[in-house]
Amino acid sequence: MRFLDLPEDIFIEIFAHLEQEWYSVRNEAFQSLRLTCKALSVLAEPAVFAALDIRLEGTNLETLASQSSKFGVHARRLTLDLIADNTEKEWIEQLAVPTRDKHLSIVLSNLSALRDLTIHILCLTTTTTTTNANANANENEGILPQTVSALSALQRVERLRVIEGTGATKIWSLKRINTLTNHVIQALLKSSGPVLKSLSVDSMSVMSPDTFDLLRSTASNLRSLVLRNFFGIECRAMLSEEKTWACRETLRKLQFHDCRGAHAGAIASGLSTGAWTKYPLDSLEVSKCGDHDDFPSAPYQVLEANLTTSSTTFPTGSNNDTTPTTTTKNTTTNTTKDMRKRNANVIEKAHYEHEFDWEMQLLGLLPVKHVTVTKTPSSLILYMLEHDLFPGMETLDLIEWKEGAPDSDTYARIETACTKRRVTLLHSAEEIVACSCPYGS
């Protein structure tokens, strides 16, 4: 029997085996099969073009554009590398950016079955809007208007990852809205928002309020939302609004890393009322979020009444290694009970890192089974344990303690408090965002 006369099931098994290989090995194997003969070329073609890697500055962009109407229907996964620099005209002319923009838009317009999209955006200059204004919908989309327009026609993207890097320190230090990044995400939310299941943005810039409003109103099937830096001060007030998110039936994973606009009070309110999620989260992470003036300037209506009568005075400008001060009136327990009534669903696991005293007080009101705390003063952890915060907690995971540490007495009291509350104390935690601050668990 000739190889090509084998049953179709055998070829399916062969292709399935190749699909398990590393990305580069997989692609080389399918390309080799496709070059073997015409019959194998027809069989291997869907697999060859199932995963694409396209670079704006790539040498084969024009060829891809001319052939995309044929292979585009097979594409399920795309990694797209973009460069944004709209100030260096010489660079734009040398690379023929407008022409490449046109070719790339042609390719994208033919990827109608795309499910998984990763976009790398290298920003060479500060192509940003001001921090106090929304990105105007009619504003030039960086230097790739046709590409952004083509992205707005992709209607089946379920997983979106955007990773932004830049050589422009101003974007990092000011955390401004990057025009291209903001418009790319807006375009995809408008087209694929209702089917999007996972969104992860690791950026140097921040989103505009318009983009956040699109996210919370259109992503009705979102299960995982991971934002690093991308949620800035511009959206802080919106996060505190009592507005139901479209994904409240599906959201299971929520992570805010180094997001200045992700206010602890807003997070506690949104999750406790069910406005963000109707069912318990599988995972919640909050690391290095918020701003120094959050407490006095960002109201969160759900907890406002409790805070004004609470026994705790929350520091607003420091994260010193001291326990919160208290007055004679004690209503902390009542606040915790009130929060439990609002949200009977217990979060499976939560990781809190580098939070101020009052931020941990608010986040500690959320019921969680498995709690991890890093880069937080041990005295604050002890205070929360002794005042019945972290309701529903079964395990507490901290960074491994060092022998002979100056606050070893506090560590001993933490162990005692955990035993009293029947909480299993672990020491396997790892920090989320690297930091040089002196605080540890």
Side-chain angles (χ1 to χ4, degrees):
M1 177 184 291
R2 296 186 307 165
F3 179 68
L4 293 176
D5 292 332
L6 291 172
E8 185 177 339
D9 291 347
I10 299 297
F11 287 105
I12 293 176
E13 289 293 329
I14 293 173
F15 290 171
H17 176 74
L18 293 176
E19 286 285 1
Q20 298 174 9
E21 297 293 335
W22 287 101
Y23 182 79
S24 58
V25 175
R26 171 206 177 277
N27 285 357
E28 291 176 3
F30 279 117
Q31 287 284 10
S32 298
L33 273 176
R34 190 164 178 254
L35 296 173
T36 302
C37 65
K38 187 174 182 180
L40 279 179
S41 177
V42 172
L43 289 172
E45 183 174 285
V48 169
F49 295 107
L52 301 176
D53 191 342
I54 301 177
R55 301 171 63 88
L56 177 67
E57 72 276 23
T59 58
N60 63 338
L61 199 54
E62 184 175 0
T63 302
L64 286 173
S66 64
Q67 298 178 357
S68 60
S69 60
K70 179 182 178 182
F71 68 74
V73 68
H74 303 307
R76 298 294 183 271
R77 185 169 69 249
L78 170 64
T79 299
L80 181 62
D81 288 4
L82 303 177
I83 296 178
D85 185 341
N86 64 354
T87 59
E88 298 291 338
K89 293 183 178 180
E90 182 180 352
W91 175 84
I92 294 175
E93 292 172 358
Q94 288 180 353
L95 194 60
V97 172
T99 301
R100 290 176 178 274
D101 181 29
K102 178 182 177 180
H103 291 155
L104 183 54
S105 69
I106 292 172
V107 175
L108 292 171
S109 65
N110 286 301
L111 306 184
S112 57
L114 195 67
R115 299 287 194 279
D116 190 307
L117 176 58
T118 299
I119 302 178
H120 300 130
I121 300 179
L122 176 61
C123 303
L124 300 181
T125 58
T126 53
T127 55
T128 65
T129 67
T130 61
T131 54
N132 296 322
N134 290 355
N136 192 300
N138 296 320
E139 189 179 349
N140 177 28
E141 292 84 357
I143 54 172
L144 303 171
Q146 295 186 69
T147 295
V148 173
S149 179
L151 288 172
S152 67
L154 298 177
Q155 299 181 357
R156 304 173 72 176
V157 177
E158 297 178 354
R159 290 170 293 279
L160 174 61
R161 290 172 294 275
V162 179
I163 303 169
E164 180 189 88
T166 177
T169 56
K170 288 184 179 180
I171 293 180
W172 169 258
S173 60
L174 297 180
K175 295 181 182 292
R176 292 188 171 186
I177 299 167
N178 181 280
T179 310
L180 177 60
T181 304
N182 193 63
H183 278 280
V184 162
I185 295 177
Q186 273 195 16
L188 287 161
L189 285 172
K190 290 176 181 178
S191 59
S192 292
V195 300
L196 192 65
K197 295 180 179 179
S198 174
L199 173 61
S200 175
V201 184
D202 186 347
S203 69
M204 309 291 277
S205 61
V206 299
M207 78 171 91
S208 70
D210 287 345
T211 302
F212 175 58
D213 194 47
L214 270 175
L215 172 61
R216 68 180 178 181
S217 62
T218 63
S220 54
N221 279 289
L222 195 67
R223 296 183 59 85
S224 174
L225 177 61
V226 179
L227 301 178
R228 188 183 183 101
N229 292 311
F230 197 52
F231 198 93
I233 291 294
E234 294 77 6
C235 299
R236 176 175 60 177
M238 297 176 68
L239 196 68
S240 299
E241 295 172 351
E242 290 189 283
K243 184 171 181 178
T244 300
W245 288 15
C247 61
R248 70 183 297 267
E249 297 278 349
T250 58
L251 189 64
R252 295 294 179 272
K253 178 180 180 180
L254 180 61
Q255 296 181 1
F256 291 107
H257 297 166
D258 206 5
C259 293
R260 288 181 63 194
H263 182 261
I267 295 171
S269 298
L271 293 175
S272 68
T273 60
W276 297 4
T277 175
K278 182 178 179 180
Y279 303 105
L281 290 175
D282 294 332
S283 174
L284 170 67
E285 289 186 6
V286 184
S287 173
K288 291 185 68 177
C289 290
D291 200 55
H292 285 274
D293 66 345
D294 275 341
F295 180 68
S297 64
Y300 26 90
Q301 299 174 4
V302 175
L303 298 179
E304 194 171 23
N306 289 327
L307 287 173
T308 56
T309 59
S310 174
S311 63
T312 306
T313 301
F314 302 101
T316 60
S318 66
N319 190 14
N320 53 5
D321 194 3
T322 58
T323 57
T325 58
T326 58
T327 62
T328 55
K329 185 178 179 181
N330 191 341
T331 59
T332 305
T333 303
N334 292 333
T335 304
T336 305
K337 290 180 179 178
D338 192 41
M339 180 69 78
R340 280 173 168 169
K341 289 178 181 178
R342 292 193 183 104
N343 186 2
N345 296 318
V346 180
I347 299 170
E348 184 65 23
K349 61 180 180 180
H351 190 157
Y352 304 128
E353 179 174 88
H354 214 298
E355 305 296 331
F356 287 175
D357 296 350
W358 61 268
E359 291 175 323
M360 284 298 293
Q361 285 274 340
L362 293 171
L363 294 171
L365 296 174
L366 294 171
V368 182
K369 284 185 180 179
H370 307 289
V371 179
T372 299
V373 181
T374 51
K375 292 295 181 181
T376 300
S378 56
S379 57
L380 176 58
I381 298 172
L382 175 61
Y383 176 89
M384 299 188 74
L385 283 167
E386 292 181 340
H387 288 77
D388 293 326
L389 293 168
F390 299 133
M393 180 171 57
E394 297 178 2
T395 65
L396 175 61
D397 197 1
L398 308 175
I399 291 176
E400 186 176 1
W401 292 339
K402 297 179 181 179
E403 293 185 11
D407 49 357
S408 56
D409 179 62
T410 304
Y411 295 160
R413 292 176 64 187
I414 287 176
E415 292 177 341
T416 301
C418 285
T419 301
K420 184 177 180 180
R421 288 185 55 173
R422 299 181 180 179
V423 171
T424 301
L425 182 60
L426 306 174
H427 296 283
S428 59
E430 297 181 0
E431 62 184 27
I432 301 172
V433 179
C435 179
S436 58
C437 78
Y439 301 112
S441 299

